[in-house]
Amino acid sequence: MQRRAFIKNAAAGAAGVAAAAIAAPAVAEGRLEWRMVTTWPKSFPGLGTGAELLAQFITRASDGRLSVKVYGGGELVPPFEALDAVANGTVEMGHGSPYYWKGKIPAVQFLTTFPFGLLADEQNAWYQFGDGQKLADEIYKQIGCKFFPSGNSGPQMGGWFNKEINSLEDFRGLKMRIPGLGGEVVKAAGGNVVNLPGSEIPTALQSGAIDAVEWVGPYNDLAFGLYKNAKYYYWPGWHEPGSTLDNFINLAAWEKLPADLKAIVEQANAAVNQIVLSEFNARNGSSLQILLKEHNVQLKRFPDSVLTGLGKLSGEVLNDLAGKDPLSRTLMNSLLKFRAEQMPWTAIGESGFAQARALPYPFAEPSAG
């Protein structure tokens, strides 16, 4: 699907927002019809399609006893109002990413990721074998929702820039779209952070409303055509090393489900959580090559001095937030403890192997046939 088709689909449905009321879900012969609103453009690769896959899994596994219909951002409600629509019972289910809801509970940002934090597999491990799921449930219960990790974009890119970043000073005055805690760090560096839903990013970059943008990575950035309006593509994604997506369900609706349907929703989310990450891993490599070879994108690494400066600012931002909010302190302590436990193993396991794999030795080549 072409870029303009994504944006057209994402913008479609403004009339739906103006509707006086949204019809209640049909309930007949023990069958439920739920609606899922998302923050993503309709059918957008990896993100929108992940939400649609979740709906398909639930509908099929329940043999239609619980069917889920998906609406892209803006079709029923604006993207950043998805959580409100679920919490107040207008719809039953939503899909987005926790840091979009920081206006509700600041601590929720930690549930997506945090700068210089956990890689995607580490983040999933924290949810499954650390405190993640328990803490997330406590937080979302305050909002009136049930939480599930429902996808992960893996390590992201550092973003698209219209000027080179050679020092922290280059962030000063920069108008950048970057959400979550990473955005707070860019603010601390003197940048002007602009929060936009995905569907509005290409136009904002093209018009000059923003100077730089962090979206996801090669797979999604290629689909949005961001290379057309920004010259430099920076790595690594210091701000989002492994970003969790969330499936949030109206708590009253969740509690009314029988045990077998709850189990289906749980397992569907577990499957989608892994599949979405696998899709990003599979597609980012080929998409990066297209950006480099077909679109002549200039790939640049942030200098170490910039990364260490951003790391220092990140610590200050996190400590400041934790100092003002006990719940943020609880999440940060849990994540930092898990991070400290994981770093030595990741360094010799995954990072060590990646370095060994990249050494200059002859190796088998894929055959032409």
Side-chain angles (χ1 to χ4, degrees):
M1 187 181 292
Q2 300 300 312
R3 167 178 169 262
R4 58 179 173 271
F6 292 137
I7 299 172
K8 179 181 178 182
N9 285 335
V17 178
I22 300 172
V27 182
E29 299 179 359
R31 294 178 179 269
L32 297 172
E33 294 181 5
W34 279 10
R35 293 146 302 175
M36 182 197 300
V37 292
T38 78
T39 61
W40 320 118
K42 185 74 170 178
S43 301
F44 193 72
L47 303 173
T49 56
E52 290 164 13
L53 186 62
L54 175 63
Q56 292 168 17
F57 280 177
I58 293 171
T59 302
R60 291 173 184 171
S62 68
D63 195 25
R65 288 174 53 215
L66 175 57
S67 63
V68 180
K69 183 175 181 179
V70 180
Y71 296 88
E75 286 193 307
L76 283 184
V77 297
F80 289 163
E81 294 180 20
L83 183 66
D84 285 333
V86 174
N88 65 29
T90 302
V91 295
E92 298 76 29
M93 181 180 285
H95 199 275
S97 191
Y99 57 22
Y100 290 152
W101 324 126
K102 69 176 185 177
K104 301 289 183 185
I105 298 180
V108 79
Q109 300 172 86
F110 286 96
L111 297 176
T112 294
T113 186
F114 64 104
F116 299 93
L118 303 181
L119 295 170
D121 286 342
E122 295 170 338
Q123 186 91 354
N124 284 334
W126 177 70
Y127 275 112
Q128 295 169 10
F129 296 100
D131 299 328
Q133 185 67 54
K134 180 184 74 172
L135 291 172
D137 279 337
E138 291 175 4
I139 291 171
Y140 275 66
K141 185 175 182 179
Q142 296 181 36
I143 309 172
C145 293
K146 168 66 178 170
F147 167 91
F148 289 104
S150 192
N152 193 302
S153 63
Q156 299 201 1
M157 290 292 287
W160 297 86
F161 295 80
N162 278 315
K163 70 174 185 178
E164 292 188 67
I165 303 297
N166 296 312
S167 71
L168 272 185
E169 198 57 34
D170 290 323
F171 281 96
R172 190 166 300 279
L174 191 75
K175 294 177 292 185
M176 184 173 185
R177 186 273 180 192
I178 178 171
L181 293 166
E184 297 302 315
V185 175
V186 170
K187 283 182 186 178
N192 298 317
V193 173
V194 181
N195 283 319
L196 296 170
S199 60
E200 297 178 19
I201 290 173
T203 302
L205 188 61
Q206 182 180 26
S207 69
I210 54 177
D211 307 311
V213 59
E214 177 283 324
W215 178 221
V216 183
Y219 183 33
N220 283 166
D221 295 358
L222 175 64
F224 261 169
L226 299 181
Y227 60 87
K228 297 177 182 179
N229 298 298
K231 188 173 182 181
Y232 304 111
Y233 198 24
Y234 271 89
W235 66 282
W238 57 272
H239 60 298
E240 293 193 39
S243 303
T244 296
L245 312 179
D246 61 344
N247 172 221
F248 41 100
I249 301 171
N250 177 272
L251 192 58
W254 168 255
E255 290 175 345
K256 290 177 184 177
L257 288 181
D260 63 331
L261 290 183
K262 285 183 177 179
I264 286 172
V265 173
E266 290 171 357
Q267 293 306 308
N269 271 296
V272 167
N273 195 49
Q274 183 57 51
I275 290 170
V276 169
L277 177 58
S278 296
E279 181 177 4
F280 276 106
N281 285 335
R283 307 299 184 201
N284 276 331
S286 58
S287 297
L288 179 61
Q289 292 306 306
I290 292 172
L291 288 169
L292 297 178
K293 295 179 179 179
E294 297 184 18
H295 300 299
N296 300 313
V297 165
Q298 294 190 43
L299 188 65
K300 286 186 170 289
R301 183 182 184 275
F302 287 119
D304 284 349
S305 60
V306 171
L307 291 172
T308 53
L310 290 169
K312 180 177 182 295
L313 285 177
S314 295
E316 294 171 0
V317 165
L318 296 179
N319 282 319
D320 183 60
L321 178 59
K324 298 175 181 176
D325 175 36
L327 188 53
S328 291
R329 172 65 69 185
T330 297
L331 259 77
M332 190 176 87
N333 286 346
S334 175
L335 284 160
L336 290 180
K337 180 175 182 293
F338 202 85
R339 177 182 183 267
E341 292 169 350
Q342 294 301 306
M343 284 180 67
W345 166 240
T346 299
I348 64 172
E350 292 193 16
S351 298
F353 171 72
Q355 293 170 17
R357 187 172 64 177
L359 290 173
Y361 51 83
F363 204 68
E365 298 286 341
S367 63

mmCIF file of all heavy atoms in Angstrom, residues 25-50:
data_model
loop_
_atom_site.group_PDB
_atom_site.id
_atom_site.type_symbol
_atom_site.label_atom_id
_atom_site.label_comp_id
_atom_site.label_asym_id
_atom_site.label_seq_id
_atom_site.Cartn_x
_atom_site.Cartn_y
_atom_site.Cartn_z
ATOM 1 N N PRO A 25 -22.400 -2.466 21.193
ATOM 2 C CA PRO A 25 -22.071 -3.717 20.521
ATOM 3 C C PRO A 25 -23.239 -4.682 20.552
ATOM 4 O O PRO A 25 -24.037 -4.696 21.488
ATOM 5 C CB PRO A 25 -20.893 -4.255 21.341
ATOM 6 C CG PRO A 25 -21.060 -3.630 22.685
ATOM 7 C CD PRO A 25 -21.639 -2.283 22.435
ATOM 8 N N ALA A 26 -23.335 -5.486 19.499
ATOM 9 C CA ALA A 26 -24.415 -6.468 19.438
ATOM 10 C C ALA A 26 -24.116 -7.633 20.357
ATOM 11 O O ALA A 26 -22.988 -8.093 20.463
ATOM 12 C CB ALA A 26 -24.565 -6.967 18.002
ATOM 13 N N VAL A 27 -25.129 -8.106 21.051
ATOM 14 C CA VAL A 27 -25.011 -9.291 21.898
ATOM 15 C C VAL A 27 -26.180 -10.196 21.552
ATOM 16 O O VAL A 27 -27.330 -9.834 21.740
ATOM 17 C CB VAL A 27 -25.064 -8.928 23.394
ATOM 18 C CG1 VAL A 27 -24.880 -10.177 24.242
ATOM 19 C CG2 VAL A 27 -24.017 -7.891 23.741
ATOM 20 N N ALA A 28 -25.889 -11.365 20.991
ATOM 21 C CA ALA A 28 -26.968 -12.276 20.603
ATOM 22 C C ALA A 28 -26.506 -13.712 20.801
ATOM 23 O O ALA A 28 -25.400 -14.071 20.406
ATOM 24 C CB ALA A 28 -27.352 -12.047 19.140
ATOM 25 N N GLU A 29 -27.355 -14.499 21.454
ATOM 26 C CA GLU A 29 -27.084 -15.917 21.648
ATOM 27 C C GLU A 29 -25.703 -16.158 22.250
ATOM 28 O O GLU A 29 -24.950 -17.035 21.832
ATOM 29 C CB GLU A 29 -27.215 -16.669 20.307
ATOM 30 C CG GLU A 29 -28.608 -16.584 19.709
ATOM 31 C CD GLU A 29 -28.708 -17.317 18.383
ATOM 32 O OE1 GLU A 29 -27.693 -17.869 17.942
ATOM 33 O OE2 GLU A 29 -29.811 -17.334 17.809
ATOM 34 N N GLY A 30 -25.350 -15.359 23.263
ATOM 35 C CA GLY A 30 -24.080 -15.542 23.930
ATOM 36 C C GLY A 30 -22.887 -15.038 23.161
ATOM 37 O O GLY A 30 -21.747 -15.276 23.565
ATOM 38 N N ARG A 31 -23.089 -14.328 22.048
ATOM 39 C CA ARG A 31 -21.988 -13.806 21.247
ATOM 40 C C ARG A 31 -21.816 -12.315 21.504
ATOM 41 O O ARG A 31 -22.789 -11.574 21.608
ATOM 42 C CB ARG A 31 -22.236 -14.062 19.758
ATOM 43 C CG ARG A 31 -22.234 -15.543 19.414
ATOM 44 C CD ARG A 31 -22.521 -15.777 17.945
ATOM 45 N NE ARG A 31 -22.494 -17.207 17.645
ATOM 46 C CZ ARG A 31 -21.418 -17.876 17.246
ATOM 47 N NH1 ARG A 31 -20.278 -17.228 17.062
ATOM 48 N NH2 ARG A 31 -21.466 -19.170 17.024
ATOM 49 N N LEU A 32 -20.565 -11.895 21.596
ATOM 50 C CA LEU A 32 -20.238 -10.495 21.831
ATOM 51 C C LEU A 32 -19.534 -9.915 20.616
ATOM 52 O O LEU A 32 -18.724 -10.602 19.985
ATOM 53 C CB LEU A 32 -19.316 -10.363 23.045
ATOM 54 C CG LEU A 32 -19.874 -10.800 24.402
ATOM 55 C CD1 LEU A 32 -18.758 -10.779 25.442
ATOM 56 C CD2 LEU A 32 -21.011 -9.896 24.836
ATOM 57 N N GLU A 33 -19.851 -8.682 20.314
ATOM 58 C CA GLU A 33 -19.156 -7.962 19.259
ATOM 59 C C GLU A 33 -18.494 -6.741 19.882
ATOM 60 O O GLU A 33 -19.167 -5.813 20.292
ATOM 61 C CB GLU A 33 -20.118 -7.552 18.143
ATOM 62 C CG GLU A 33 -20.695 -8.732 17.373
ATOM 63 C CD GLU A 33 -21.623 -8.298 16.250
ATOM 64 O OE1 GLU A 33 -21.731 -7.066 16.023
ATOM 65 O OE2 GLU A 33 -22.240 -9.169 15.621
ATOM 66 N N TRP A 34 -17.179 -6.784 19.948
ATOM 67 C CA TRP A 34 -16.411 -5.689 20.530
ATOM 68 C C TRP A 34 -15.797 -4.831 19.433
ATOM 69 O O TRP A 34 -15.552 -5.301 18.320
ATOM 70 C CB TRP A 34 -15.295 -6.236 21.412
ATOM 71 C CG TRP A 34 -15.743 -6.642 22.780
ATOM 72 C CD1 TRP A 34 -17.019 -6.752 23.245
ATOM 73 C CD2 TRP A 34 -14.884 -7.001 23.874
ATOM 74 N NE1 TRP A 34 -17.022 -7.150 24.561
ATOM 75 C CE2 TRP A 34 -15.721 -7.310 24.967
ATOM 76 C CE3 TRP A 34 -13.500 -7.086 24.028
ATOM 77 C CZ2 TRP A 34 -15.198 -7.705 26.209
ATOM 78 C CZ3 TRP A 34 -12.985 -7.472 25.252
ATOM 79 C CH2 TRP A 34 -13.828 -7.778 26.331
ATOM 80 N N ARG A 35 -15.525 -3.557 19.783
ATOM 81 C CA ARG A 35 -14.833 -2.658 18.871
ATOM 82 C C ARG A 35 -13.479 -2.290 19.463
ATOM 83 O O ARG A 35 -13.389 -2.020 20.673
ATOM 84 C CB ARG A 35 -15.666 -1.409 18.626
ATOM 85 C CG ARG A 35 -16.957 -1.692 17.850
ATOM 86 C CD ARG A 35 -18.070 -0.795 18.285
ATOM 87 N NE ARG A 35 -18.319 -0.936 19.722
ATOM 88 C CZ ARG A 35 -19.192 -0.188 20.390
ATOM 89 N NH1 ARG A 35 -19.867 0.739 19.763
ATOM 90 N NH2 ARG A 35 -19.373 -0.372 21.693
ATOM 91 N N MET A 36 -12.477 -2.274 18.624
ATOM 92 C CA MET A 36 -11.138 -1.869 19.033
ATOM 93 C C MET A 36 -10.755 -0.591 18.289
ATOM 94 O O MET A 36 -10.697 -0.585 17.060
ATOM 95 C CB MET A 36 -10.104 -2.958 18.726
ATOM 96 C CG MET A 36 -8.688 -2.595 19.176
ATOM 97 S SD MET A 36 -7.384 -3.613 18.415
ATOM 98 C CE MET A 36 -7.858 -5.235 18.964
ATOM 99 N N VAL A 37 -10.512 0.484 19.034
ATOM 100 C CA VAL A 37 -10.000 1.709 18.442
ATOM 101 C C VAL A 37 -8.482 1.722 18.620
ATOM 102 O O VAL A 37 -7.953 1.216 19.606
ATOM 103 C CB VAL A 37 -10.637 2.964 19.077
ATOM 104 C CG1 VAL A 37 -12.113 3.053 18.708
ATOM 105 C CG2 VAL A 37 -10.466 2.971 20.599
ATOM 106 N N THR A 38 -7.777 2.287 17.656
ATOM 107 C CA THR A 38 -6.322 2.289 17.710
ATOM 108 C C THR A 38 -5.763 3.689 17.508
ATOM 109 O O THR A 38 -6.474 4.604 17.064
ATOM 110 C CB THR A 38 -5.710 1.357 16.640
ATOM 111 O OG1 THR A 38 -5.749 2.005 15.370
ATOM 112 C CG2 THR A 38 -6.458 0.040 16.557
ATOM 113 N N THR A 39 -4.499 3.829 17.824
ATOM 114 C CA THR A 39 -3.799 5.085 17.560
ATOM 115 C C THR A 39 -3.123 5.065 16.199
ATOM 116 O O THR A 39 -2.528 6.058 15.793
ATOM 117 C CB THR A 39 -2.729 5.339 18.634
ATOM 118 O OG1 THR A 39 -1.770 4.279 18.602
ATOM 119 C CG2 THR A 39 -3.351 5.401 20.015
ATOM 120 N N TRP A 40 -3.200 3.923 15.503
ATOM 121 C CA TRP A 40 -2.434 3.725 14.267
ATOM 122 C C TRP A 40 -3.260 4.006 13.014
ATOM 123 O O TRP A 40 -4.472 3.775 13.011
ATOM 124 C CB TRP A 40 -1.934 2.278 14.192
ATOM 125 C CG TRP A 40 -1.457 1.733 15.488
ATOM 126 C CD1 TRP A 40 -1.964 0.662 16.174
ATOM 127 C CD2 TRP A 40 -0.366 2.216 16.292
ATOM 128 N NE1 TRP A 40 -1.273 0.448 17.330
ATOM 129 C CE2 TRP A 40 -0.282 1.384 17.433
ATOM 130 C CE3 TRP A 40 0.532 3.269 16.138
ATOM 131 C CZ2 TRP A 40 0.677 1.587 18.426
ATOM 132 C CZ3 TRP A 40 1.488 3.476 17.132
ATOM 133 C CH2 TRP A 40 1.553 2.634 18.252
ATOM 134 N N PRO A 41 -2.608 4.431 11.950
ATOM 135 C CA PRO A 41 -3.301 4.478 10.663
ATOM 136 C C PRO A 41 -3.832 3.094 10.303
ATOM 137 O O PRO A 41 -3.198 2.081 10.615
ATOM 138 C CB PRO A 41 -2.208 4.921 9.687
ATOM 139 C CG PRO A 41 -1.218 5.660 10.522
ATOM 140 C CD PRO A 41 -1.222 4.949 11.856
ATOM 141 N N LYS A 42 -4.963 3.047 9.677
ATOM 142 C CA LYS A 42 -5.590 1.780 9.308
ATOM 143 C C LYS A 42 -4.632 0.921 8.482
ATOM 144 O O LYS A 42 -4.068 1.384 7.488
ATOM 145 C CB LYS A 42 -6.865 2.053 8.510
ATOM 146 C CG LYS A 42 -7.673 0.808 8.167
ATOM 147 C CD LYS A 42 -8.403 0.259 9.372
ATOM 148 C CE LYS A 42 -9.396 -0.835 8.972
ATOM 149 N NZ LYS A 42 -10.066 -1.405 10.148
ATOM 150 N N SER A 43 -4.426 -0.309 8.920
ATOM 151 C CA SER A 43 -3.604 -1.291 8.205
ATOM 152 C C SER A 43 -2.146 -0.878 8.056
ATOM 153 O O SER A 43 -1.447 -1.397 7.193
ATOM 154 C CB SER A 43 -4.200 -1.597 6.816
ATOM 155 O OG SER A 43 -5.508 -2.106 6.929
ATOM 156 N N PHE A 44 -1.675 0.041 8.904
ATOM 157 C CA PHE A 44 -0.283 0.453 8.799
ATOM 158 C C PHE A 44 0.621 -0.714 9.176
ATOM 159 O O PHE A 44 0.374 -1.407 10.163
ATOM 160 C CB PHE A 44 -0.005 1.649 9.704
ATOM 161 C CG PHE A 44 1.308 2.303 9.424
ATOM 162 C CD1 PHE A 44 1.497 3.060 8.282
ATOM 163 C CD2 PHE A 44 2.374 2.138 10.293
ATOM 164 C CE1 PHE A 44 2.716 3.654 8.014
ATOM 165 C CE2 PHE A 44 3.596 2.732 10.025
ATOM 166 C CZ PHE A 44 3.775 3.482 8.888
ATOM 167 N N PRO A 45 1.707 -0.953 8.402
ATOM 168 C CA PRO A 45 2.542 -2.136 8.613
ATOM 169 C C PRO A 45 3.061 -2.260 10.041
ATOM 170 O O PRO A 45 3.573 -1.301 10.621
ATOM 171 C CB PRO A 45 3.702 -1.922 7.631
ATOM 172 C CG PRO A 45 3.133 -1.068 6.552
ATOM 173 C CD PRO A 45 2.165 -0.162 7.246
ATOM 174 N N GLY A 46 2.922 -3.465 10.590
ATOM 175 C CA GLY A 46 3.470 -3.774 11.898
ATOM 176 C C GLY A 46 2.624 -3.273 13.045
ATOM 177 O O GLY A 46 2.327 -4.020 13.987
ATOM 178 N N LEU A 47 2.199 -2.024 13.014
ATOM 179 C CA LEU A 47 1.446 -1.420 14.104
ATOM 180 C C LEU A 47 -0.060 -1.623 13.908
ATOM 181 O O LEU A 47 -0.716 -2.304 14.701
ATOM 182 C CB LEU A 47 1.787 0.063 14.215
ATOM 183 C CG LEU A 47 3.278 0.372 14.408
ATOM 184 C CD1 LEU A 47 3.531 1.876 14.325
ATOM 185 C CD2 LEU A 47 3.782 -0.181 15.724
ATOM 186 N N GLY A 48 -0.597 -1.050 12.829
ATOM 187 C CA GLY A 48 -2.014 -1.257 12.531
ATOM 188 C C GLY A 48 -2.338 -2.703 12.224
ATOM 189 O O GLY A 48 -3.373 -3.231 12.651
ATOM 190 N N THR A 49 -1.461 -3.367 11.489
ATOM 191 C CA THR A 49 -1.711 -4.772 11.144
ATOM 192 C C THR A 49 -1.593 -5.678 12.367
ATOM 193 O O THR A 49 -2.234 -6.717 12.437
ATOM 194 C CB THR A 49 -0.750 -5.251 10.050
ATOM 195 O OG1 THR A 49 0.608 -5.030 10.473
ATOM 196 C CG2 THR A 49 -0.995 -4.510 8.747
ATOM 197 N N GLY A 50 -0.772 -5.268 13.347
ATOM 198 C CA GLY A 50 -0.687 -6.040 14.583
ATOM 199 C C GLY A 50 -2.002 -6.014 15.343
ATOM 200 O O GLY A 50 -2.453 -7.042 15.866
#
